[in-house]
Every structure is written in structure tokens, then in C-alpha cells.
Amino acid sequence: MIPLFGPVPGGAELIVIFITAIMLFGIPLTIFGGLFLLYRRAGGSRATKEDVDELKNEVAELRTELEGNDETERQERDRERER
């Protein structure tokens, strides 16, 4: 009988093909991925602390603004009730 698709690699040949594919694609991808994560972690931590401090200051300003608006609204309601 003649195979339709030609010779198919056997067990040992498949192992060699898989090891070659891993060495060509898997190892470089793992290295580049690891380096990217290290770069991102090292660069992102400084910016994050600054951003958090900036956001805290903004939240504090907004709270004081809301408290001022609440007092203004109360005063307006009191004036309307007096009329």
C-alpha cells in the first residue's frame, strides 16, 4: 500500500521537531516576555507613586469643594425658608 500523504515522521523525529520548535520560538519569546515584565515593573513603580499622590491631592481638593458647596446650599435653603 502507498501512503497518500508521503512519509510521516515517527516518534523520535517528532521529538526532534518539537525541541527545535521550542528552541526557535519558545525560548526567545519567554526571554523577551520576561524582559518586558521586568522593564515594566521597574519603570512603572515610580510613576505609580507619583500618580497616587497626585490623585490623593485632587480628591482632597474635590472634598473641600463639595463641603463648600454643601454649606452654600444650606445657606440658600435657610434664606428661602426665612422668606
Side-chain angles (χ1 to χ4, degrees):
M1 220 176 179
I2 300 173
L4 294 175
F5 301 110
V8 179
E13 293 165 342
L14 283 176
I15 291 174
V16 170
I17 291 171
F18 288 135
I19 290 174
T20 306
I22 288 171
M23 290 176 70
L24 283 175
F25 302 110
I27 293 174
L29 285 175
T30 304
I31 291 172
F32 288 132
L35 291 175
F36 175 74
L37 290 176
L38 288 174
Y39 171 76
R40 190 170 173 187
R41 177 179 282 178
S45 63
R46 284 182 238 125
T48 303
K49 290 178 184 177
E50 293 172 358
D51 290 341
V52 168
D53 291 338
E54 185 178 321
L55 288 172
K56 283 182 181 179
N57 291 335
E58 189 173 338
V59 166
E61 292 174 7
L62 289 172
R63 284 185 179 163
T64 56
E65 185 179 321
L66 279 175
E67 290 172 359
N69 287 342
D70 288 343
E71 289 179 20
T72 307
E73 289 176 7
R74 287 184 206 148
Q75 291 174 357
E76 289 177 5
R77 283 188 220 142
D78 291 341
R79 288 180 191 159
E80 290 178 6
R81 289 179 187 167
E82 291 175 0
R83 292 181 188 175

